[in-house]
Amino acid sequence: MVDPRISIIDGRLRGVKDIIVVSSGKGGVGKSLTASVLALILTRRGYKVGLLDLDFTSPSTHLILGVRGLNPTEDKGIIPVEVFGLRHMSIVYYTKDKSTSLRGEDLSNILTELLAVTGWGELDFLILDMPPGIGDTTLDVIKYISRSRFLLVATPSILAFSTVQKLVDLLKSQNITIIGVLENIGRSDTALAKHVRDIGVKYLGTIPFDDQIEGSIGNVDKLFNTEFASSIEKLVLPNILEAR
Amino acid sequence: MHEWALAEAVITTVEEIVEREKYEEVFEVSLTIGELQQIDTGIMKFALKHLKEGKLKKAKFSIKMHKASFKCNVCGNLWVFNKNKFNEEVSEAIHFIPEVSHTYIKCPKCKSPDFNIVEGRGLYIQKIRGRK
Ligand SMILES: Nc1ncnc2c1ncn2[C@@H]1O[C@H](COP(=O)(O)OP(=O)(O)OP(=O)(O)O)[C@@H](O)[C@H]1O
Ligand SMILES: [Mg+2]
Ligand SMILES: [Zn+2]
């Protein structure tokens, strides 16, 4: 028995120039916020951008962007939702944001299905928002999209670094490109920068706690005006554009 | 249509197998499709016919449907899928991503959403018959 979905994944992503995976291993460090804001900033800069939410049990990019009342359409596959100038795809369009319990095999199947049937068209960047953990979804992204570049997010805690370090080991062992580690909800005096450099990974800088964020969730205009967004623009954007 | 995307995947994969196993010509390709996928076999066959070329030009595609069944991971209960229970929107969602059945289906015995899809998801190439 052969699963035909696998062999079409490359073809489906042929028009996508660059795939950025926002990951951490650690939960709750700001991956989804980073992925969403980065997607918005690149879009405003004139790039064609897709945002794919791979957190199948707890998707959140649709909430951060404030997507309402839209659905993917069909044309020889699934065409993502067009919102704020970018193309957005999430399982939420099918679960209607209801509770969805999934085991590992289900997670793999959903990822394969989405990669095999979603028609992204021509994109400069496809941003993937990863779930917490270093499990099925991370392994599948490495397996099916080996040209991905990983942007890692950590908080100043040694607990976050300890997890990121494990992810770095995995990525290095598979020759996957690591853009760098972004410190979020950081202070200026943390040891993370040194830890990150010690394992041979680029440290991108630190984003402070931003008390404008909570009130900006779901409102793209407000999000653009946060300190968080200007930090992403300053710290992350050059590193993403540089290698192109 | 989503069927076209799947048909394209089938053709690409069969072409890869033909290349790898050095077939000169393919006579028949047997596919199994899970019921949860709710594929319109008419459209699927039309798409396959339209897309096949080269060594697949004369290939016949046969499609077999697999009933969907579930097994509860909590109480062990086994049951079968009943698509008449869902409205069109939910059916569509399951058609695209069979795993979202976890959103809409619960074990009829213990109400748990923690079950395995035993059979009835996916699309597989079961057999290729041809001349090498
Ligand atoms: N710099 C910041 N200042 C203030 N709040 C922040 C900052 N970064 C993230 N947050 C908030 O922290 C929470 C977690 O962020 P987010 O959901 O992006 O994390 P995550 O890593 O995607 O989490 P998960 O692992 O659950 O997917 C959110 O409420 C977000 O708004
Ligand atoms: Mg998240
Ligand atoms: Zn049960």
Side-chain angles (χ1 to χ4, degrees), chain A residues 33 36-37 40 60-68 84 210-229:
Chain A
L33 195 60
S36 308
V37 169
L40 288 170
S60 45
T61 53
H62 65 293
L63 295 173
I64 295 172
L65 297 176
V67 186
R68 265 176 294 263
F84 310 116
D210 179 349
D211 55 16
Q212 299 295 304
I213 284 294
E214 194 53 33
S216 309
I217 300 285
N219 184 325
V220 163
D221 292 324
K222 283 189 180 170
L223 273 177
F224 268 128
N225 288 319
T226 57
E227 188 181 355
F228 185 90

Side-chain angles (χ1 to χ4, degrees), chain A residues 24-35 55 58 60 64 129-133 153 184-186 207-214 217 228:
Chain A
S24 171
K26 198 73 182 159
V29 295
K31 298 181 290 296
S32 300
L33 195 60
T34 300
D55 194 345
S58 355
S60 45
I64 295 172
D129 178 28
M130 297 298 282
V153 184
N184 189 23
I185 320 182
I207 304 183
F209 181 86
D210 179 349
D211 55 16
Q212 299 295 304
I213 284 294
E214 194 53 33
I217 300 285
F228 185 90

Side-chain angles (χ1 to χ4, degrees), chain A residues 1-2 4-5 7-8 12 74 76-78 94-96 98 100-101 103 106 109-110 113-114 117, chain B residues 1-2 5 8-9 13 16 37 73 89 92-93 96-97 99 102-104 113-114 121 123-126:
Chain A
M1 282 211 312
V2 181
R5 294 175 304 174
S7 64
I8 202 169
R12 283 272 171 238
E74 283 186 65
K76 300 192 173 181
I78 303 175
Y94 301 98
T95 59
K96 301 296 164 197
K98 290 190 176 68
T100 306
S101 328
R103 285 177 179 261
D106 302 318
N109 267 320
I110 296 171
E113 195 78 39
L114 281 180
V117 305
Chain B
M1 289 304 281
H2 177 237
E8 205 182 320
T13 307
E16 278 175 18
Q37 218 83 23
N73 284 320
E89 194 180 36
E92 272 278 281
F96 281 118
I97 307 175
E99 281 66 31
H102 287 92
T103 311
Y104 304 104
D114 178 13
R121 79 130 7 262
L123 157 67
Y124 294 96
I125 296 166
Q126 204 67 258

Side-chain angles (χ1 to χ4, degrees), chain A residues 18 20 42 47-50 123-127 240-241 244:
Chain A
D18 201 349
I20 311 279
L42 285 165
Y47 293 104
K48 277 198 159 29
V49 180
L123 288 182
D124 295 303
F125 295 97
L126 177 60
I127 316 280
I240 282 182
L241 300 179
R244 290 162 49 87

